[in-house]
Amino acid sequence: MDDITALILDDHAAFRRGFARLDDARGETDLRAVWDPLSLHLDIHAEAEESILYPYLVRHGDASAGEETDDAIGDHNKIRDAIAESRRHVPGTDGWWAAVWSARRENSEHLAEEEDGALADFRRNASRELRAELGARWLTFYGEHPGGRDLTFQDKDPQAYVREHR
Ligand SMILES: [Fe+2]
Ligand SMILES: [Fe+2]
């Protein structure tokens, strides 16, 4: 069974490829064909991390885990907001590109921080068994929410989230 940090890295690689594909897409139909699944995947991924990874990082991580989690939820909020804004515009228009670039910038920054901070911390501090168990839960989460079904993609208060899971 893959551990959860490997599964998260797989998603991150898919996000980088997705944003690169947008550079090659031309016209509303092509842009929509790339952005709709990519933005949905970004939203589901953040929700999965908030349900499965970060509650355990807060408890099992090192002294900076609270701060890493606070930063991550704040970043997820910015990415969610940019995705929601993109959905108010027609793909290819200036307003749409502004929102998509905002999501792309926030996401690129966030992936680097998460990979070097939260994921590295979790590998150092969580047991192999826990990483595998959460990996299995990660796969189940995607299976239970096909196309984001039953997920609302709401922003969360970072400090309240950390307090709640401590
Ligand atoms: Fe992530
Ligand atoms: Fe994240």
Side-chain angles (χ1 to χ4, degrees), residues 68 71-72 75 108-119:
E68 286 160 359
D71 282 350
D75 289 350
S108 295
E109 231 177 85
H110 173 63
L111 296 192
E113 277 181 16
E114 192 166 65
E115 289 172 11
D116 297 346
L119 296 185

Side-chain angles (χ1 to χ4, degrees), residues 49 54 76 110 114:
E49 286 182 341
Y54 283 101
H76 290 177
H110 173 63
E114 192 166 65

